[in-house]
Amino acid sequence: MGEPGNGRGAEAESVAEVVETVGELLGVLAEKVRIAGPDGVRVLTEEELQRHQLNWFRAGWEEHARASGQEDLVGPDRPPARLLPFPERPRGHEHPSDDGG
């Protein structure tokens, strides 16, 4: 078993703090889901997340190329990357704060 001074007490205390923090975060998330209701909650798919990340990186590289005067690095054969608000909300999944109020 654990003896005083071997560090296990501090480690257990640290783990307990992490568990408590995660529990609090899950509680906050559950409350937000309850308030939003089932029609107001949308889970992003892995494909949507990857598409957003790809667009974000492409836009960054294009901005870097323009800022450094190396616009030839930005391919003329493709449209410029377009940053979308994240997470994207399809029609019918508007949030009450989206109407400006």
Side-chain angles (χ1 to χ4, degrees), residues 13-95:
E13 197 172 301
S14 177
V15 169
E17 289 175 6
V18 170
V19 169
E20 183 179 341
T21 301
V22 169
E24 290 172 7
L25 289 172
L26 287 173
V28 170
L29 177 61
E31 180 62 16
K32 289 183 182 250
V33 168
R34 187 192 66 75
I35 290 170
D39 293 332
V41 177
R42 182 171 173 276
V43 177
L44 292 176
T45 65
E46 184 69 23
E47 181 182 331
E48 290 171 310
L49 182 59
Q50 287 178 357
R51 186 172 48 242
H52 177 76
Q53 290 173 335
L54 175 63
N55 283 338
W56 187 84
F57 282 113
R58 275 186 57 201
W61 277 112
E62 290 171 2
E63 178 63 27
H64 172 74
R66 281 189 290 278
S68 64
Q70 299 175 351
E71 293 188 28
D72 57 326
L73 295 178
V74 180
D77 57 335
R78 65 179 183 197
R82 182 173 63 104
L83 285 180
L84 300 172
F86 186 75
E88 301 168 27
R89 288 192 182 113
R91 211 172 256 137
H93 287 268
E94 289 77 16
H95 187 271

Side-chain angles (χ1 to χ4, degrees), residues 96-101:
S97 65
D98 290 345
D99 61 9

